Amino acid sequence: MADASEEANQIEKLYEFGERLNEAKDKSQSVKDYEGIIDATKTSLKAKQLAAQLIPRFFKFFPNLSSRALNAHFDLIEEEDLAVRVQAIRGLPLFCKDTKEYISKIVDILGQLLTAEEFVERDAVHKALMSVMRQDVKESLTALFKHIWNVEDPSQDDTIRDKVLCFIRDKVFPLKAELLRPQEEMERHITDLIKKSLGDVTGAEFRMFMDFLKGLNIFGEKVPPERLKELIGIIEGQADLDAQFDVLDADHIDRLISCLFMAIPFFVRGASGSKFLNYINKHILPVFDKLPEERKLDLLKGLAEISPYTTPQDSRQILPSIVQLLKRYMPARKTGEETNFTYVECLLFSFHHLAHKAPNATNSLCGYKIVTGQPSDRLGEDFSEYYKEFTERLSSVEDLTKATMKKLTQGMAEHNKAMAAAKTDEEKDNIKTQKQNTTTGLRTCNNILSMTKPLHSKTPAFIGDKSVNLSWKEAVKPSVPSNATATGVKRPANAANGSNNFATKKGRGTGGMPNQLVNRALEGISYGGRGGGGRGRGRGWGGRGRGRGYW
């Protein structure tokens, strides 16, 4: 370790080198001075700090010394002394300012330094990265995303990858309007970078990337549905719709249902959901009973939400499966088995919207007499037994629904009494949750009765509008001010994710167990698969051994 006088001498020499280089008209002739600065990286701590400022400042004038200068500077980044490291990091963007060919290398190093534990060092890395990004955003982003792509590289550190993802999420995405210029070219470039990164991502990472892509102008609200094909294709790829379905592959089921919900907003905007529907109809609905219990409701909710946006052809193809499930969950007579009212609500809603687009398909499925003038009407065939059976099931589920509504109403009265007597905030919160569950249960029952009533006619008018609002969605309230959220999918406050699974056993009469019924109503199942874990396809949606579940 140099003593004070030696250190002072080193600092003085460095200042002399720097002053001569500043004053020199042809700096490239002052090779000895620059070499003296590089050599100072092997001396005292104060000299190293000053050298960390001077090396990048004059770097562009000495291309023949570039490798030596860079290696010396990189050594400073690995110094034990924090002040030296921070100064060296702050100098990295200067290497790229006039020598663009070093951008990729500098960004690669800064990406690795994102794992720094000291706040001041990490802050310096963030600022240096943003500085380089503003110099050449295209080259910088490409270099940064390489830390995400190289998942098969055994030398690739998972920690670095995670830190890079966080940096992109927290620092780059919020500044997309500033950084992505020219807009269309750069939005296309980052879209391509993201698509290249999706081969091995967790569910949370995929969601993050999709949320960002949705925010780009090239996929904005005003673009035609054809433009959305690209995003739907990305989601379909992540859902593995070309893979052979295995009902025991919980990870694939989680991923598929989650992707279905992610795609619904694009179906609403006019994109085609045919590939999802065909896959579900062909592979999943035939083995519906074998699905994990917590995923059955998720799937039915997804089908209900997509059903208003299906094509007539898709509707005709999936209707037989929906009718089959309706018969499964609307028994013709009281059997003592459990009736899952939310399943019935989902299936009836899907049935109405699908049948609205392909009405005569119900003639051979339910025995209706709907005339469209097409051979598919099959009016010359006798399906009266189907009609009798289907309407018997409708009547049976109506009786059970009305009885359940009585119990729920009784339960609501008891909740109100309990709320008045509650003394602690915890008690009040619990009762409030139960009241919300009961309210949603009543909404489910009302929806069922609204949808079964028109189905008794031999020529029913299928509901194809927005007159029925699914129980887990808030209805639009015209009285809400325009600056408030008037529409959306605000979920009940009961379970972790707000889904319900409103089921009850068929009982005799209307008496008995109102509290038990209400407490069981709307038990939480993850909405759209957003609570599932598991892994698959290499790292899968749980993340390379990182133990993260989807969402």
Side-chain angles (χ1 to χ4, degrees):
M1 181 67 67
D3 58 27
S5 61
E6 185 179 352
E7 183 177 68
N9 186 46
Q10 292 166 356
I11 296 295
E12 186 177 349
K13 282 186 177 181
L14 277 172
Y15 276 120
E16 289 176 5
F17 295 150
E19 286 174 6
R20 283 201 294 268
L21 282 166
N22 269 330
E23 294 170 0
K25 291 183 179 180
D26 184 0
K27 295 178 174 40
S28 64
Q29 298 301 311
S30 303
V31 175
K32 293 295 183 183
D33 291 330
Y34 194 61
E35 286 180 330
I37 293 172
I38 294 173
D39 291 339
T41 60
K42 304 296 184 183
T43 57
S44 64
L45 291 179
K46 293 291 184 183
K48 289 176 180 179
Q49 280 185 262
L50 184 54
Q53 297 179 51
L54 297 175
I55 289 175
R57 183 184 302 175
F58 302 108
F59 177 74
K60 65 180 179 180
F61 300 109
F62 302 97
N64 291 334
L65 294 174
S66 60
S67 294
R68 184 176 163 191
L70 283 171
N71 288 332
H73 197 89
F74 294 160
D75 286 342
L76 295 179
I77 291 173
E78 297 179 357
E79 276 287 330
E80 289 187 13
D81 186 77
L82 176 62
V84 174
R85 295 202 308 271
V86 170
Q87 190 60 61
I89 290 167
R90 289 172 178 167
L92 286 175
L94 293 175
F95 286 107
C96 315
K97 194 170 183 181
D98 297 292
T99 48
K100 301 292 186 182
E101 64 268 25
Y102 291 102
I103 285 178
S104 181
K105 185 175 186 66
I106 297 301
V107 170
D108 175 65
I109 290 169
L110 285 168
Q112 297 176 53
L113 293 174
L114 285 170
T115 59
E117 295 181 0
E118 297 285 347
F119 172 79
V120 66
E121 185 175 5
R122 194 165 60 250
D123 183 62
V125 174
H126 288 173
K127 289 177 179 176
L129 261 175
M130 293 307 297
S131 177
V132 180
M133 194 86 63
R134 288 183 170 93
Q135 292 177 33
D136 190 327
V137 66
K138 189 172 186 178
E139 186 71 19
S140 298
L141 283 173
T142 302
L144 203 55
F145 267 84
K146 286 180 181 177
H147 286 290
I148 304 171
W149 299 339
N150 297 331
V151 293
E152 302 303 330
D153 184 350
S155 66
Q156 176 71 15
D157 188 344
D158 258 3
T159 306
I160 294 173
R161 182 181 182 279
D162 288 347
K163 294 296 183 182
V164 169
L165 280 166
C166 289
F167 178 81
I168 291 171
R169 179 194 65 202
D170 299 336
K171 303 294 183 180
V172 178
F173 287 178
L175 295 177
K176 63 179 183 292
E178 172 193 342
L179 294 175
L180 302 184
R181 297 289 178 185
Q183 179 187 294
E184 186 166 350
E185 176 188 339
M186 285 309 305
E187 287 191 350
R188 171 49 54 196
H189 180 65
I190 199 168
T191 298
D192 292 340
L193 291 176
I194 288 173
K195 287 167 70 174
K196 194 172 180 180
S197 305
L198 297 178
D200 196 9
V201 291
T202 66
E205 291 164 0
F206 184 62
R207 171 90 180 206
M208 177 192 76
F209 281 133
M210 288 306 301
D211 284 346
F212 178 67
L213 291 176
K214 287 189 295 185
L216 297 179
N217 287 310
I218 58 173
F219 301 115
E221 291 295 330
K222 296 182 180 179
V223 302
E226 293 73 26
R227 180 72 67 84
L228 302 179
K229 284 182 179 178
E230 184 172 2
L231 293 186
I232 291 293
I234 292 172
I235 298 173
E236 289 172 346
Q238 200 64 212
D240 252 1
L241 297 185
D242 293 321
Q244 182 64 39
F245 181 71
D246 179 0
V247 74
L248 299 178
D249 187 350
D251 180 81
H252 188 195
I253 295 170
D254 288 348
R255 188 167 60 249
L256 188 146
I257 294 175
S258 298
C259 287
L260 173 63
F261 274 88
M262 200 181 301
I264 287 173
F266 302 115
F267 301 150
V268 174
R269 292 171 59 186
S272 171
S274 294
K275 193 167 183 178
F276 265 106
L277 282 170
N278 290 338
Y279 190 90
I280 290 170
N281 188 41
K282 180 179 178 181
H283 297 285
I284 302 180
L285 292 184
V287 293
F288 182 81
D289 286 342
K290 296 181 181 179
L291 292 178
E293 285 299 321
E294 67 273 17
R295 287 293 167 260
K296 290 180 180 178
L297 179 61
D298 293 334
L299 178 64
L300 294 183
K301 281 188 172 185
L303 287 174
E305 291 197 31
I306 194 179
S307 62
Y309 312 104
T310 56
T311 64
Q313 181 180 356
D314 290 338
S315 299
R316 187 176 295 277
Q317 288 179 352
I318 200 171
L319 260 172
S321 299
I322 296 299
V323 170
Q324 194 64 34
L325 280 176
L326 260 177
K327 292 180 179 181
R328 165 74 174 81
Y329 291 101
M330 291 198 313
R333 60 188 63 83
K334 294 179 181 179
T335 63
E337 294 180 3
E338 190 175 83
T339 295
N340 192 313
F341 291 97
T342 312
Y343 282 18
V344 175
E345 178 195 11
C346 292
L347 289 165
L348 282 171
F349 188 90
S350 299
F351 176 76
H352 270 281
H353 281 278
L354 297 171
H356 180 75
K357 295 182 181 67
N360 65 346
T362 63
N363 293 353
S364 59
L365 295 172
C366 310
Y368 290 130
K369 296 288 184 181
I370 297 173
V371 181
T372 65
Q374 299 297 318
S376 53
D377 291 346
R378 299 177 67 177
L379 295 177
E381 300 177 58
D382 183 11
F383 297 111
S384 56
E385 284 300 315
Y386 291 177
Y387 175 76
K388 180 182 177 183
E389 178 196 4
F390 194 67
T391 52
E392 280 180 2
R393 293 177 185 277
L394 292 172
S395 297
S396 177
V397 81
E398 284 171 340
D399 291 342
L400 289 164
T401 302
K402 290 172 184 176
T404 300
M405 289 181 74
K406 273 192 176 183
K407 295 174 184 178
L408 289 172
T409 304
Q410 292 169 9
M412 184 65 81
E414 293 187 17
H415 292 327
N416 290 334
K417 290 179 184 178
M419 180 65 80
K423 295 179 180 179
T424 68
D425 289 340
E426 184 179 357
E427 287 176 328
K428 291 177 181 178
D429 287 343
N430 287 336
I431 296 168
K432 185 179 179 181
T433 297
Q434 291 174 16
K435 288 180 69 173
Q436 289 173 327
N437 293 346
T438 303
T439 299
T440 306
L442 287 167
R443 202 183 299 156
T444 295
C445 290
N446 278 317
N447 280 348
I448 289 173
L449 295 178
S450 297
M451 291 186 286
T452 56
K453 185 177 180 180
L455 296 180
H456 286 281
S457 169
K458 280 249 180 182
T459 55
F462 299 114
I463 299 169
D465 56 21
K466 297 180 180 180
S467 58
V468 173
N469 192 62
L470 291 163
S471 62
W472 60 91
K473 289 178 170 285
E474 285 286 339
V476 177
K477 299 177 182 178
S479 60
V480 174
S482 58
N483 62 341
T485 302
T487 62
V489 289
K490 182 180 178 183
R491 301 177 215 155
N494 49 305
N497 295 322
S499 284
N500 61 59
N501 187 5
F502 178 36
T504 182
K505 289 184 183 258
K506 296 181 179 183
R508 290 173 291 179
T510 60
M513 62 175 194
N515 284 336
Q516 180 183 352
L517 173 66
V518 171
N519 291 337
R520 292 183 56 216
L522 311 179
E523 290 178 351
I525 292 183
S526 65
Y527 181 75
R530 296 169 198 172
R535 316 180 54 78
R537 301 190 308 162
R539 291 191 307 139
W541 280 43
R544 294 184 289 181
R546 288 170 277 182
R548 291 179 288 177
Y550 190 71
W551 305 138

